[in-house]
Amino acid sequence: MRLPRWAMTATVAGLAAVLTIPTHAEEPKKLTYPETKKGTVVDEYHGTKVADPYRWLEDDVRESKDVAAWVEAENKVTAAFLESIPEREAIKKRITEIYNYEKISAPFKVGGRYFFFKNDGLQNQNVLFVQDALDAEAKLLIDPNAWTKDGTLALSGLEVSDDAKLIAYGTAQSGSDWNTWKVFDVATGKTLPDELKWVKFSSTSWTKDGKGFYYSRFPEPQAGAAFQNLNVDQKLYYHKLGTPQSEDELVYERTDNPKWTVGGGVTEDGKYLIISVGDGTTSRKSRIAYRALGTTDSRTVELIDNHDNKFDFLGNDGGVFYFKTDYRAPKYQIVAIDTKNPDKKNWKTVIAEAKEPLDGADLVGNRFICSYLKDAKTLVKVHEVDGTFVREVDLPGIGTAAGFNGKREDKETFYTFSSFATPPSVYHYDIATGASKLIRQAKVKFDPTQYEVKQVFYASKDGTKVPMFIAHKKGLKLDGTNPTLLYGYGGFNISLTPGFSVSRLQWMEMGGVFAVANLRGGGEYGDEWHRAGTKLQKQNVFDDFIAAGEYLVKEKYTSPKKLAIQGGSNGGLLVGACLTQRPDLFGAGLPAVGVMDMLRFQKFTAGRFWVDDYGSSDNSAEFNELYKFSPYHVLLKNGPKAYPATMVTTADTDDRVVPGHSFKFAAALQANNSGPNPTLIRIETKAGHGAGKPTTKIIEEVADQWAFLVKTLDFKPTIEK
């Protein structure tokens, strides 16, 4: 049997897999999975003994022959199951067809030139272009597709110098969070010798003279530990062009707390370096320091010396700094802090907290362009620098608008708009007049008039009203028979807004209903909504998602055997928790790159950043709550039980949520699923948490997920030709 690309690993002698392949004409037969050995590891948390029989699956697949053998055996089982599904090839052909459309980003303007990304349709990676004017011929600058044949080396970030002559750009190999930064000369089209390694969770910021830039990096990991060890001791450096990284100037560090994160950016006028010091969690609570540039005074001044609130720097007028902050404003406000009189009593509110949460703000064209969330939909308002309201931006409909970037002196900016059935469109916005002009529109091979989207509000377990978007073909019959995919996230203050997705479009085209629930834990209604889904209140998130499923069943969109749930990362945890808490409510689950072991997540790579949302097993009260819902441990505590059909997805180079989470969960699920439903794991090779994934891998994964649901939800899809 020829395995698909994602299932290929180095051949390792080891586990054998026996598989009976069911067909649609047969009753499903229980699969025979690889024999997964159990260890005897037992940990004690605050007096409670907790078994961890699959601890060995935490080992790095690159370092452990046993784990590599297990991965290969599991992928063989999954590949054989997926290849047995008759509709799979037609699904893949159709997703390839509709994915094959020209994708062009909104341009961004630097040094009088316009930069944008473009993908002809099926290119593995997007390509960077530049224009001297919007109607001028575009020149190709950086094409990551030329770097590797399989597209697994991706462009992970870039920063253009103020004169638009140089570009600092990051590369990521196989989806890893580790980036290597280089410098590109726009005029010559060549990459300079500069190379910066061990950069993670950092961009770059050029000095005004273009002679160098600031960036943050971690110490070089020990051999073999780059994809597992905790990321600590991040430091801010200045790199001077033409010099080796070993000579970079150390600008700022916090030896008093190596878990804190450190980042820096140069103000638009080039006069200050703004230093942001995170508290080591994803709460983004930040201390703020600054340093005057171009002077003999190189002192670092601590402006905000605590982690009580969040501060996002927006711009400055000399020594007056503007911040978006939740200080005394859980839905955020914009304040001005005069560095000559920095006491809190002197802080000035420029744009007060509104009814809707302030999702983002930019200081462009000497005006604040503020994006708010109104029931998870974008609302954009324009204010003068003194806070005076100017106007709302007239958006083309209900959906998501993003962009509005630029400089203080710009007279124009750009934004994209999309919704579930509206492909991305790029608009030019005149800051003075408020006029929006469509300049680019994606041409996807489907008819958006055949679909409808609506928003409903349902009651969660405790009575909280939760919004949910529901999208499907027009003329849908509410008879409880529709295959339905419910998606959620619910964490880290991240909001789910209506956006276009080719894969979701295909799901609806096949006859499925697609729903997105805006759960607590997200940022849809500000900090209070976020906090209501964290730590000891994390169960609220799962209750919200379960209630969303119950609503879809009650309103006869679907039935439990036709209802699938999907989520990635924190959303993978969501799916894992809900599958184990309410296996009767769902027909299938697609947990992707999920956090499944809630007692040990903080011990790996970026896991420590999540303690502010999850809590930690090091705390006794938080341990008790984590132990209740940790998907891996619930499976072990419950013992044999019938679970919905499940296909776990992860990748071998995921150094954000290490694949050991998914490995352990899948092993425990296979060992404890007493029912006939398949419980599979699909392990991608040469890929990571998701960023930078090549188009070919994206298409293959989507095709496999939809084929899995077609099979396990037992429906006949409509596949356009």
Side-chain angles (χ1 to χ4, degrees), residues 66-343:
D66 287 345
V67 175
W70 183 86
V71 166
E72 184 175 36
E74 289 285 350
N75 270 342
K76 284 182 179 179
V77 173
T78 302
F81 180 87
L82 294 171
E83 288 180 353
S84 75
I85 301 171
E87 299 88 351
R88 180 172 175 241
E89 282 305 311
I91 291 171
K92 182 178 178 181
K93 181 179 179 181
R94 178 56 179 159
I95 188 66
T96 302
E97 180 183 16
I98 56 178
Y99 206 95
N100 188 15
Y101 69 95
E102 187 179 68
K103 307 165 187 72
I104 304 179
S105 73
F108 59 96
K109 188 177 180 181
V110 184
R113 310 181 80 183
Y114 298 88
F115 297 82
F116 66 93
F117 287 96
K118 178 183 175 183
N119 190 305
D120 290 339
L122 295 177
Q123 290 175 288
N124 274 321
Q125 301 292 341
N126 297 335
V127 181
L128 180 66
F129 288 84
V130 66
Q131 295 171 289
D132 291 329
L134 289 175
D135 57 356
E137 183 179 355
K139 174 186 175 183
L140 187 153
L141 288 180
I142 300 176
D143 182 6
N145 299 289
W147 297 343
T148 58
K149 290 184 178 180
D150 59 5
T152 54
L153 183 60
L155 184 66
S156 58
L158 62 83
E159 188 72 23
V160 183
S161 63
D162 278 7
D163 58 10
K165 293 182 178 179
L166 298 170
I167 300 174
Y169 69 95
T171 63
Q173 179 66 58
S174 302
S176 172
D177 279 338
W178 288 117
N179 292 175
T180 297
W181 280 78
K182 301 181 180 182
V183 179
F184 180 84
D185 187 307
V186 175
T188 65
K190 295 182 179 179
T191 297
L192 303 181
D194 304 69
E195 184 175 84
L196 310 179
K197 295 184 176 181
W198 306 115
V199 182
K200 182 184 283 195
F201 312 135
S202 172
S203 184
T204 58
S205 184
W206 288 92
T207 51
K208 196 73 173 176
D209 58 12
K211 293 182 179 180
F213 52 81
Y214 295 92
Y215 73 102
S216 300
R217 67 175 171 89
F218 291 94
E220 181 177 350
Q222 294 179 348
F227 296 96
Q228 293 263 310
N229 280 13
L230 278 174
N231 304 136
V232 294
D233 200 23
Q234 190 179 38
K235 299 175 182 178
L236 179 63
Y237 290 86
Y238 172 72
H239 174 71
K240 183 179 179 181
L241 288 183
T243 64
Q245 187 177 18
S246 60
E247 295 181 8
D248 288 352
E249 175 192 353
L250 175 61
V251 176
Y252 192 89
E253 64 178 333
R254 293 302 299 243
T255 56
D256 54 331
N257 197 324
K259 289 187 177 181
W260 288 357
T261 57
V262 178
V266 179
T267 57
E268 192 174 317
D269 60 12
K271 294 181 179 180
Y272 297 94
L273 172 67
I274 307 298
I275 301 170
S276 179
V277 182
D279 66 352
T281 74
T282 48
S283 68
R284 290 174 44 248
K285 292 180 178 178
S286 52
R287 295 170 178 252
I288 300 292
Y290 68 92
R291 179 183 292 189
L293 300 177
T295 70
T296 56
D297 184 0
S298 60
R299 290 180 303 128
T300 298
V301 181
E302 304 291 335
L303 182 63
I304 298 166
D305 62 358
N306 60 70
H307 281 124
D308 295 341
N309 294 101
K310 304 171 187 177
F311 290 89
D312 293 332
F313 180 78
L314 301 177
N316 67 298
D317 281 316
V320 177
F321 296 169
Y322 299 106
F323 293 94
K324 173 196 164 195
T325 179
D326 64 349
Y327 173 70
R328 294 184 177 177
K331 293 184 179 179
Y332 302 95
Q333 62 174 331
I334 293 177
V335 302
I337 302 177
D338 189 339
T339 55
K340 294 180 180 178
N341 299 288
D343 291 343

Side-chain angles (χ1 to χ4, degrees), residues 101 395-401 416-427 438 440-444 446-453 471 498-502 504-505 508:
Y101 69 95
L395 298 176
I398 296 174
T400 300
T416 59
F417 180 85
S418 68
S419 190
F420 291 120
T422 305
S425 299
V426 178
Y427 289 83
L438 178 66
R440 293 168 184 160
Q441 189 170 34
K443 294 178 173 59
V444 186
F446 89 111
D447 182 1
T449 64
Q450 298 300 309
Y451 300 86
E452 63 179 90
V453 181
F500 184 75
S501 163
V502 166
R504 293 169 178 176
L505 168 67
M508 293 186 288

